[in-house]
Amino acid sequence: MSRRSKQPYGNTTNVAKILTDRLHWDAEHVLRNRLRTAPQFVDSIELEAELQGHNGCVNCLQWSDNGRILASASDDFHVMLWDPFRHKLLHDLQTPHDGNIFSVKFLPNRGNSLLATGAGDCKMFVFDVNRQNDHPIRKCTCHTHRVKRLATSPRHSHVFWSAAEDGVVLQHDMRQHHVCQGQDANVLIDLRNHVYIMPEVKCIAVNPLRPEQLAIGANDIYTRLYDRRMISLGKLGANVDVINDTATLTNVTDSIPKDGCVKYFCPGHLGNKHRSITGTFHNKTVTYLTFSPDGTELLTNMGSDHIYLYDINRPANPLFLELPKLPIPDDGSANESGCGEGGIPAGVGAPSVEKTKHKFPPDVEQLKKEGNAFLEKDLFLQAINKYTLAIQKTNSKDCAVLYLNRATALMKRNWFGDVYAAIRDCHTALRLDPHYVKAHFRLARALLKLDQLKEAQICLEELIRRFPSYAKNPGVLMLEKDIGLELDKRLRSSYGRHSEGDNEVFSDNEKHWRSMAMDYSQRYIGHWNTKTDIKEANYFGDANYIVAGSDDGNFYIWNRHTGIIHSAYRADEMIVNCVQPHPYVCLVATSGIDHEVRLWTPESLATPREQRTSHRLKSLHSLVQDNQARIQLDPFDSIPPNQAICRAS
């Protein structure tokens, strides 16, 4: 193939321009992105280097746009800039902060020379690292509580956003002079207008492809997505008290419209609890969120829970009871056989006689058998993984049995959110086979376990109406009795008790947005996130993998599509908070309570086996089970005294 003739670029130093002018640039970009996390690379990841220099917990990491510089910031008030490929410290920036630095961001400009920081002292600074001194070129003290995260947009080189525990999101424009006296219109979101009891914004992200979309996470169970085009910036307030160079936010006018501007996302089982009672989830906090590389998804790490993925373009409503209509058989008779494993299980009633039994391909059938064997041994995590792999390997519409078997394993395992996940699987099984009696029964049982008593009763009544021969089935009669007992118990407990409204807790708009919260599309289980509120979760490569740190000192890699853990690595003596994949190559940076930053890359196969070191963990099943038990404990019960300084992270 002939090469393109050289073009005179003159004195330009825009490497991106040179690359994009190359022939087949788009194909090369896609290929490199896929190779970045090719399975053989991910399988061989190991520790490459430790970057030493900080004297405190390293709370945040950030890659420059070109991937040539890694910034790290710490409790020691320093920001360090590293060459990740030569493992060399390029610059040690001693900031004026007197509180733990929680966020560091490169502002998107040509030279990656502008750096913004936010910290526990409620202050933000912007530095030009090309200058000979470390004096900031911009200072902001508008926030009244700790600044937890900053956000930038690749399409807005002069603008960045800050999120703080005062419940406020501020927009900062580097082209405008700023004085912290409440005169600038820089308030984008103020949660205190809608959540009246100590709202705290913990994290923030801007859609890389649609910068009008901005998402935040707070000290509750909701991920909030805003359209900035519909929000007018407000001032800090007409009555602003300035004490010690810090502005007190008062009388902020809210400009967020009720409809069209805001979308809330929340795991269906959690949101439903909040709709039915005036309760809050004190231990549940959205510690980190990020958009997918293509801007169509939101990934959320929730403290004291799991990692959830939300589909922005095709959001789904929470699903509890939505039975499909029964199709009329060709012979006019009702089919009560169900699919695969028969009707109601023999343990609670006689199974129906199967008329047909679908045969899967040999590899799928083998996975199903292995899943059944694990289920019989009460090894629920292994069983769920086998059923999940079997589902991924078949596109057949006759695989309802796989979903129902997985639902059975989920209900028996009963980790956070498992029963609701089982309900979702039951619905999928019923969509695939509306005559699946066992799926009707399992769905009613799951609804009862999730305390959806009315829905459980309706589901069971519909089972009896659709399949009259099961009306006297021992399992059906037992379930009917259990539902009745729980309904009576609820009636007695609510007698004489006044309903506690939440009129004094939330605004009408907030209650509306919460009631419309959309459900997750995938979840990732295995890590432990209770001790800090800065724990990240990120996409790795071309979004085929998810990575996150954990309170057990490990970081985890999940298959994005299946939700199954691919691998886990020992990366910190105590806690891994930050896991930041490189934007262009298979390289991951991690940090946490230790003072070091660690770099992870594929290990060369040319290295002799006896010289290889392994940080990859083997006993994942027991590790994950231990983590799930720890999630249910008090967050600080097991913290040693020497971690006290990091409790506030």
Side-chain angles (χ1 to χ4, degrees):
M1 180 181 294
S2 61
R3 298 176 59 89
R4 288 182 84 184
S5 58
K6 293 184 178 180
Q7 296 186 15
Y9 286 99
N11 295 325
T12 182
T13 57
N14 189 339
V15 178
K17 178 67 167 61
I18 298 175
L19 290 174
T20 52
D21 281 351
R22 290 175 59 185
L23 189 65
H24 308 307
W25 157 254
D26 290 337
E28 290 177 2
H29 177 73
V30 172
L31 181 61
R32 281 200 306 272
N33 206 31
R34 290 182 178 176
L35 286 176
R36 182 165 36 136
T37 50
Q40 52 268 46
F41 287 170
V42 178
D43 286 341
S44 59
I45 283 179
E46 258 304 332
L47 179 65
E48 178 186 274
E50 292 184 348
L51 307 180
Q52 299 180 353
H54 283 294
N55 293 313
C57 307
V58 182
N59 301 318
C60 47
L61 302 171
Q62 181 66 34
W63 294 101
S64 62
D65 293 338
N66 58 17
R68 296 179 181 176
I69 301 174
L70 175 66
S72 61
S74 168
D75 290 353
D76 61 11
F77 316 144
H78 285 245
V79 174
M80 295 189 173
L81 304 181
W82 308 88
D83 181 335
F85 303 107
R86 293 186 296 166
H87 312 152
K88 179 181 179 182
L89 178 62
L90 301 175
H91 184 62
D92 182 355
L93 175 63
Q94 184 172 357
T95 72
H97 285 296
D98 53 10
N100 300 351
I101 301 176
F102 291 121
S103 188
V104 59
K105 284 285 185 180
F106 287 98
L107 299 189
N109 62 343
R110 288 187 177 182
N112 288 296
S113 62
L114 297 185
L115 201 68
T117 60
D121 56 7
C122 314
K123 300 173 185 177
M124 289 167 291
F125 296 108
V126 178
F127 303 89
D128 187 342
V129 296
N130 286 339
R131 294 191 174 190
Q132 297 300 315
N133 57 64
D134 291 343
H135 296 299
I137 62 174
R138 186 183 180 96
K139 175 182 179 181
C140 180
T141 59
C142 291
H143 285 295
T144 60
H145 291 73
R146 300 188 303 177
V147 180
K148 297 309 292 283
R149 290 285 177 178
L150 306 176
T152 61
S153 168
R155 300 191 181 187
H156 296 282
S157 59
H158 301 285
V159 180
F160 68 98
W161 296 265
S162 60
E165 291 178 338
D166 54 15
V168 177
V169 173
L170 299 181
Q171 180 169 302
H172 310 268
D173 193 329
M174 293 292 294
R175 296 167 295 186
Q176 299 176 355
H177 178 69
H178 175 68
V179 178
C180 299
Q181 293 181 351
Q183 301 303 311
D184 294 346
N186 62 348
V187 178
L188 182 68
I189 301 166
D190 188 349
L191 284 187
R192 298 170 303 177
N193 289 323
H194 304 288
V195 181
Y196 303 144
I197 300 180
M198 296 182 295
E200 301 176 358
V201 185
K202 298 291 188 179
C203 49
I204 184 171
V206 176
N207 192 325
L209 299 185
R210 297 184 59 185
E212 72 274 8
Q213 290 186 339
L214 180 144
I216 64 172
N219 56 331
D220 56 29
I221 57 177
Y222 296 95
T223 294
R224 298 161 167 88
L225 177 65
Y226 298 87
D227 188 331
R228 293 190 300 109
R229 298 171 300 183
M230 303 180 68
I231 305 175
S232 300
L233 293 176
K235 293 185 178 180
L236 295 181
N239 301 320
V240 180
D241 298 324
V242 181
I243 302 175
N244 297 327
D245 202 25
T246 299
T248 301
L249 311 181
T250 60
N251 298 336
V252 182
T253 302
D254 184 54
S255 63
I256 300 177
K258 178 179 180 180
D259 298 316
C261 175
V262 188
K263 287 183 181 178
Y264 277 34
F265 298 87
C266 171
H269 56 291
L270 298 180
N272 183 73
K273 285 182 181 179
H274 189 85
R275 294 187 193 103
S276 60
I277 59 174
T278 309
T280 55
F281 298 87
H282 299 291
N283 294 330
K284 307 249 184 225
T285 296
V286 178
T287 64
Y288 190 83
L289 52 79
T290 187
F291 287 88
S292 60
D294 63 4
T296 64
E297 297 172 347
L298 264 173
L299 186 69
T300 295
N301 198 344
M302 185 178 293
S304 298
D305 210 285
H306 308 304
I307 297 169
Y308 294 94
L309 187 149
Y310 301 106
D311 191 323
I312 298 173
N313 296 336
R314 294 177 296 176
N317 287 308
L319 184 60
F320 294 95
L321 181 61
E322 187 178 300
L323 295 176
K325 294 182 179 180
L326 288 180
I328 301 175
D330 294 338
D331 59 1
S333 62
N335 177 9
E336 299 182 9
S337 66
C339 168
E341 300 298 311
I344 299 175
V348 292
S352 60
V353 178
E354 298 183 40
K355 293 184 178 179
T356 60
K357 186 172 182 179
H358 180 77
K359 285 293 185 181
F360 296 109
D363 56 340
V364 176
E365 189 66 33
Q366 180 62 30
L367 288 169
K368 175 173 168 284
K369 289 180 179 179
E370 292 174 359
N372 293 345
F374 282 128
L375 186 58
E376 290 178 1
K377 298 176 182 178
D378 291 342
L379 299 174
F380 304 124
L381 176 61
Q382 295 92 322
I384 291 167
N385 287 348
K386 293 297 181 180
Y387 294 137
T388 300
L389 291 174
I391 290 170
Q392 291 292 317
K393 283 181 172 291
T394 177
N395 295 321
S396 171
K397 294 183 178 180
D398 297 323
C399 64
V401 60
L402 298 176
Y403 284 98
L404 195 64
N405 285 3
R406 187 170 70 177
T408 302
L410 285 164
M411 287 185 64
K412 290 185 175 182
R413 186 176 70 174
N414 198 27
W415 291 349
F416 285 164
D418 275 358
V419 177
Y420 180 67
I423 288 175
R424 289 163 50 115
D425 275 353
C426 287
H427 279 288
T428 302
L430 286 171
R431 284 196 299 269
L432 295 172
D433 183 0
H435 291 100
Y436 203 167
V437 181
K438 185 179 178 182
H440 285 81
F441 179 84
R442 186 67 64 192
L443 176 58
R445 175 62 71 182
L447 289 167
L448 170 62
K449 195 167 187 177
L450 201 61
D451 203 33
Q452 302 296 307
L453 303 185
K454 281 188 176 181
E455 288 82 358
Q457 187 178 43
I458 293 171
C459 184
L460 187 61
E461 291 173 350
E462 188 63 19
L463 185 156
I464 295 172
R465 188 190 69 81
R466 293 182 175 194
F467 313 106
S469 63
Y470 284 87
K472 301 301 181 182
N473 181 282
V476 171
L477 293 174
M478 185 184 303
L479 180 56
E480 188 175 32
K481 180 180 178 181
D482 291 342
I483 294 173
L485 289 173
E486 290 300 320
L487 285 170
D488 290 341
K489 187 186 302 182
R490 176 180 291 183
L491 184 62
R492 289 194 301 270
S493 64
S494 61
Y495 180 75
R497 187 180 63 187
H498 297 289
S499 60
E500 298 178 0
D502 55 5
N503 292 330
E504 297 182 359
V505 180
F506 307 115
S507 70
D508 290 339
N509 282 1
E510 180 71 16
K511 287 184 283 187
H512 170 72
W513 294 330
R514 292 187 177 207
S515 69
M516 302 296 291
M518 307 305 288
D519 201 7
Y520 68 88
S521 59
Q522 182 61 280
R523 64 176 186 154
Y524 305 92
I525 295 178
H527 77 317
W528 172 20
N529 180 12
T530 61
K531 293 183 179 180
T532 65
D533 62 1
I534 57 174
K535 204 161 282 94
E536 300 176 349
N538 279 297
Y539 290 87
F540 185 22
D542 59 347
N544 281 328
Y545 296 95
I546 302 296
V547 291
S550 175
D551 288 336
D552 58 7
N554 307 319
F555 81 90
Y556 291 79
I557 302 177
W558 289 265
N559 182 294
R560 172 186 165 274
H561 306 286
T562 65
I564 297 175
I565 295 177
H566 174 276
S567 53
Y569 296 86
R570 188 68 182 173
D572 195 281
E573 288 296 321
M574 298 177 184
I575 298 173
V576 178
N577 284 318
C578 306
V579 183
Q580 286 286 334
H582 190 277
Y584 302 118
V585 299
C586 190
L587 169 63
V588 177
T590 65
S591 69
I593 302 302
D594 289 351
H595 300 172
E596 295 80 18
V597 177
R598 294 181 170 89
L599 300 177
W600 306 79
T601 58
E603 190 174 35
S604 173
L605 296 179
T607 305
R609 185 175 298 274
E610 62 274 8
Q611 297 181 13
R612 298 180 190 177
T613 58
S614 179
H615 291 76
R616 185 168 179 171
L617 304 175
K618 297 180 180 180
S619 56
L620 290 181
H621 295 131
S622 60
L623 186 65
V624 169
Q625 290 171 348
D626 290 343
N627 283 345
Q628 299 314 300
R630 291 163 176 162
I631 288 176
Q632 302 180 51
L633 299 175
D634 184 272
F636 301 131
D637 276 350
S638 59
I639 295 184
N642 61 353
Q643 287 192 44
I645 191 172
C646 295
R647 287 190 183 187
S649 296

